[in-house]
Amino acid sequence: MGASQSVAEKSIHEFTVKDFKGKDVNLNVYKGKVLLVVNVASKCGFTDSNYSQLTDLYNRYKDRDFEILAFPCNQFLKQEPGTSQDAQEFACTRYKAEYPIFQKVRVNGPDTAPVYKFLKATSNGFLGSRIKWNFTKFLVDKEGVVINRFGPTTSPLAIEDDIKKALGVA
């Protein structure tokens, strides 16, 4: 448990994921953008602060080649119990999220989504590659390579300087 898996892919842009309706989205559409990839949940103690701050960051930097990719996950105490569409409606209605909310995924275990296998293999966290809770964040550069990984207790606003640096914003 916790051992890194090797992956053939060199960039997040090589993956196709599903949107909240189940439609394929090729992540190469985000080439040239700095990405913040987050596993989200609607019923977590971190939900309010994270979603509020994610929306704030997105509104500040969306016109500067920044995108947030949110992946609902129900693996941690079943804190994202509804459908992918429920998760999307929650984020967009309650937190005015304008960034994409994708289909629910698994971030650990044998059924880990391929994009999360890549994220974990290219950036180890405090407990090895395993994701320990909701709102783990991966900062990805414009070429699709993981720059850094942040744990659930790191607030989105706490990584604003890292985002600005990746964007080349003074």
Side-chain angles (χ1 to χ4, degrees):
M1 180 187 321
S4 286
Q5 294 181 329
S6 68
V7 291
E9 295 85 1
K10 302 292 182 217
S11 166
I12 198 170
H13 303 137
E14 297 178 50
F15 292 90
T16 297
V17 297
K18 302 265 186 206
D19 70 9
F20 71 95
K21 292 181 179 176
K23 182 180 171 211
D24 283 347
V25 177
N26 190 324
L27 295 184
N28 71 7
V29 301
Y30 298 109
K31 277 185 181 173
K33 291 187 177 234
V34 171
L35 306 175
L36 188 61
V37 183
V38 187
N39 61 306
V40 298
S42 59
K43 301 196 181 309
C44 175
F46 296 128
T47 299
D48 189 59
S49 62
N50 271 268
Y51 265 126
S52 297
Q53 291 181 30
L54 288 169
T55 296
D56 190 23
L57 282 176
Y58 183 74
N59 289 335
R60 274 189 229 171
Y61 299 105
K62 66 183 177 184
D63 296 329
R64 295 183 173 176
D65 293 325
F66 175 68
E67 190 67 67
I68 294 170
L69 308 182
F71 289 89
C73 178
N74 195 38
Q75 281 188 278
F76 305 103
L77 295 180
K78 303 196 182 318
Q79 293 180 342
E80 189 62 84
T83 65
S84 299
Q85 187 149 356
D86 291 338
Q88 191 270 347
E89 288 172 6
F90 173 83
C92 295
T93 302
R94 185 157 179 190
Y95 294 100
K96 309 298 182 230
E98 295 176 16
Y99 47 85
I101 311 292
F102 293 97
Q103 191 169 70
K104 285 172 66 171
V105 296
R106 295 186 64 81
V107 298
N108 290 324
D111 297 325
T112 298
V115 70
Y116 267 88
K117 286 180 185 175
F118 166 79
L119 292 167
K120 294 188 310 182
T122 57
S123 174
N124 280 337
F126 178 66
L127 296 176
S129 66
R130 186 170 181 76
I131 291 179
K132 60 183 178 177
W133 203 252
N134 303 307
F135 296 100
T136 296
K137 301 154 201 75
F138 293 88
L139 187 60
V140 178
D141 71 14
K142 293 180 179 188
E143 286 74 46
V145 177
V146 177
I147 300 170
N148 209 338
R149 174 179 173 162
F150 303 92
T153 59
T154 302
S155 72
L157 291 179
I159 60 177
E160 185 172 10
D161 286 343
D162 294 277
I163 292 167
K164 286 165 60 173
K165 183 178 177 186
L167 290 169
V169 175

